[in-house]
Amino acid sequence: MKNIQLLGLLLVVAGSFLPLVHVPIIGNWNYWKLDHYLAITCWVLSACAAFGLINSSAKVVRTFGILLVLLFAFTLLAVKMQSLEYFSFVPFKSWRETFAGVVKLKWGWAVEFLGAILMILSGNKIKNK
């Protein structure tokens, strides 16, 4: 089961370099282009989970997997709120929501969430030393 958690960790790290958000005219953004601090937080949490994997601590890996899922959910909420904020100059609320809907989420989020969920769910079978 340690290999599955390692696979989940690799998916989280690789997913941070995949396209997460598509902004028209500008293009696709990964975690680093979205926000440097969120990207660094993702990598630090992944490094802490790697430390738990090296020490065969299922609780540590599971804890940081949960923290990663919370970080991803926060990032999705922040992307939605920021896209609404970009179009705050538009006088009508329905137009604001329409323009904010142009910002699309990409397939990289599926890789991110899959990796974190693998880290959480596969930790039950590891025996601590």
Side-chain angles (χ1 to χ4, degrees):
M1 289 297 162
K2 191 173 180 180
N3 292 337
I4 295 175
Q5 283 186 327
L6 180 62
L7 175 66
L9 179 66
L10 291 175
L11 284 174
V12 167
V13 172
S16 67
F17 296 104
L18 296 175
L20 300 176
V21 176
H22 177 75
V23 181
I25 299 173
I26 296 174
N28 293 326
W29 286 359
N30 58 16
Y31 234 131
W32 187 257
K33 289 182 183 178
L34 279 175
D35 187 65
H36 302 307
Y37 298 111
L38 290 175
I40 291 169
T41 304
C42 175
W43 296 333
V44 166
L45 292 175
S46 298
C48 293
F51 177 75
L53 271 172
I54 291 169
N55 291 328
S56 297
S57 176
K59 282 186 178 181
V60 171
V61 176
R62 191 178 311 119
T63 301
F64 284 104
I66 291 169
L67 289 174
L68 282 166
V69 168
L70 292 175
L71 176 71
F72 300 152
F74 171 75
T75 305
L76 286 173
L77 180 66
V79 165
K80 178 66 175 167
M81 298 303 290
Q82 191 66 30
S83 65
L84 285 171
E85 183 67 28
Y86 279 147
F87 298 105
S88 64
F89 64 90
V90 178
F92 301 112
K93 186 177 180 179
S94 62
W95 289 8
R96 253 183 275 160
E97 291 172 358
T98 302
F99 287 141
V102 173
V103 176
K104 300 289 183 193
L105 300 177
K106 298 296 280 184
W107 57 275
W109 286 114
V111 175
E112 292 278 15
F113 278 105
L114 177 67
I117 289 171
L118 281 176
M119 288 169 55
I120 294 168
L121 296 180
S122 65
N124 298 332
K125 304 286 184 179
I126 294 178
K127 294 180 182 178
N128 293 329
K129 290 183 178 181

